[in-house]
Amino acid sequence: MSLPAILNGTTRLPVVAAPLFIISHPALTLAQCKAGVVGSFPALNARPEAQLDEWLAEITQELAAHNTRNPGRPAAPFAVNQIVHKSNKRLEHDLMLCVKYKVPIVISSLGAVPEVNAAIHSYGGIVLHDVINNRHADSAIRKGADGLIAVATGAGGHAGTLSPFALIQEIRTWFDGPLLLSGAISTGGAVLAAQAMGADMAYIGSPFIATTEARASDAYKQMIVDSAAADIVYSNYFTGIHGNYLKPSITAAGMDPDHLPEADPSKMDFETATTGAKAWKDIWGCGQGIGAVTEIAPVANLVDRLAREYAEARQKLAL
Ligand SMILES: Cc1cc2nc3c(=O)[nH]c(=O)nc-3n(C[C@H](O)[C@H](O)[C@H](O)COP(=O)(O)O)c2cc1C
């Protein structure tokens, strides 16, 4: 197993904070990087598209200033998520800006496209591609991605259905490059478990929704604190692709979360990100791991907790 230089020793913990539609914005990304984990945001969160230039300027300048002020504890690098799908009409524009700002890490979702990888490689950036099965993993690497994010069952957003044990084991039979694991990882012990089963790093989304810096409503944050795995429903009704959502938000929108109809996958559209119901804005995405989230707190506190638990888990196993 080998990590590229940008991820090797540049984080306090082996953790990448996952991009969250609508929720991630510069304040969250910067807090994640400064706390010592890779911070990220989806390019599509910057709207209108011209705002992406401003966001990238802000993030690169603020991280450089932070690193000058804190030479002993520099920030972790940041990542931008690109949705590689025909419904994303901004891809070329957003990619150009990633090249302009030399974004260190690009996380590509859905389509694996050689041109996207080549653009990021042109200045030395790396591409991590998220996948829900071994077949997509193989295709992504053959098309030039540098690493993989295995999205297992229980993940927030568009989750897979495979057990993390099965998914990591199968990918590791042929791939010894950078491999991240995602899906319901919410404790430092789970980060260590991801490494024990063969991943290099953990990829954590939902717990960051319940942070002070997240661009989510107070009600959404509180629902995460109040909910547990049993409150999550897996459905393709809202975007055409199966994902995990908070049941109480579906009930609040006037639907029965236990009897949702099946959707038409051809209707999927990431620019408007909705089919009928107001997915993401009113129907709140969330993974199964939130039983470990007991308070709304600043990102720094969440990362401190993960670091403490990670150290305790290592000690318990006498590593
Ligand atoms: C509300 C929400 C929005 C998300 N938006 C995106 C997105 O825009 N792009 C993406 O690649 N993944 C997105 N994801 C998936 C996450 O990046 C990540 O794979 C997932 O949150 C990991 O599982 P966890 O939430 O159980 O930690 C989203 C997840 C959630 C919960």
Side-chain angles (χ1 to χ4, degrees):
M1 281 185 264
S2 62
L3 278 178
I6 190 68
L7 289 172
N8 201 353
T10 55
T11 59
R12 175 180 173 199
L13 270 181
V15 167
V16 171
L20 304 166
F21 190 58
I22 302 177
I23 295 162
S24 313
H25 64 147
L28 180 62
T29 309
L30 283 166
Q32 292 164 336
C33 296
K34 289 178 186 174
V37 300
V38 174
S40 74
F41 68 94
L44 288 175
N45 279 10
R47 289 172 192 227
E49 62 182 31
Q51 195 181 52
L52 184 59
D53 204 333
E54 293 163 26
W55 281 19
L56 288 171
E58 180 186 346
I59 290 171
T60 46
Q61 284 162 18
E62 179 54 30
L63 289 180
H66 174 90
N67 292 347
T68 305
R69 286 194 305 269
N70 303 280
R73 200 176 168 180
F78 77 102
V80 170
N81 171 226
Q82 298 285 6
I83 303 288
V84 185
H85 186 263
K86 61 180 186 313
S87 67
N88 181 7
K89 307 287 186 298
R90 288 176 43 172
L91 182 61
E92 199 178 331
H93 167 272
D94 292 353
L95 211 52
M96 239 174 48
L97 284 173
C98 286
V99 175
K100 175 180 168 187
Y101 285 93
K102 297 186 165 50
V103 170
I105 303 160
V106 165
I107 295 165
S108 57
S109 303
L110 295 179
V113 176
E115 291 74 22
V116 171
N117 299 324
I120 305 308
H121 291 157
S122 69
Y123 60 86
I126 65 161
V127 179
L128 305 175
H129 189 72
D130 72 8
V131 296
I132 57 168
N133 60 42
N134 198 22
R135 186 170 60 83
H136 290 160
D138 176 64
S139 165
I141 294 303
R142 275 193 289 106
K143 287 179 177 161
D146 303 281
L148 297 167
I149 301 161
V151 182
T153 188
H158 292 140
T161 54
L162 293 178
S163 152
F165 295 100
L167 192 51
I168 292 292
Q169 182 272 325
E170 288 188 13
I171 294 173
R172 273 292 182 231
T173 59
W174 60 271
F175 182 64
D176 67 358
L179 178 56
L180 280 62
L181 177 63
S182 136
I185 298 177
S186 300
T187 65
V191 174
L192 186 63
Q195 289 186 301
M197 71 170 86
D200 296 295
M201 300 180 86
Y203 189 74
I204 301 180
S206 299
F208 283 99
I209 301 172
T211 60
T212 321
E213 295 89 344
R215 199 174 61 173
S217 68
D218 289 344
Y220 190 173
K221 294 177 186 183
Q222 192 58 44
M223 195 178 285
I224 287 185
V225 170
D226 295 340
S227 300
D231 301 305
I232 303 300
V233 65
Y234 188 65
S235 168
N236 71 354
Y237 179 61
F238 305 105
T239 68
I241 294 186
H242 274 95
N244 281 314
Y245 301 91
L246 281 160
K247 281 187 186 180
S249 72
I250 297 170
T251 309
M255 285 169 276
D256 178 356
D258 296 318
H259 297 93
L260 291 169
E262 287 285 306
D264 175 0
S266 67
K267 298 255 169 61
M268 183 176 65
D269 186 332
F270 277 89
E271 205 118 24
T272 54
T274 174
T275 53
K278 288 157 274 170
W280 309 115
K281 234 178 163 34
D282 297 326
I283 307 298
W284 295 334
C286 188
Q288 291 177 355
I290 49 164
V293 180
T294 57
E295 58 173 357
I296 301 167
V299 165
N301 294 23
L302 170 57
V303 175
D304 280 348
R305 170 173 74 76
L306 292 171
R308 193 178 57 249
E309 293 168 350
Y310 182 75
E312 284 167 6
R314 282 181 66 112
Q315 216 170 22
K316 214 160 134 187
L317 296 174
L319 293 172

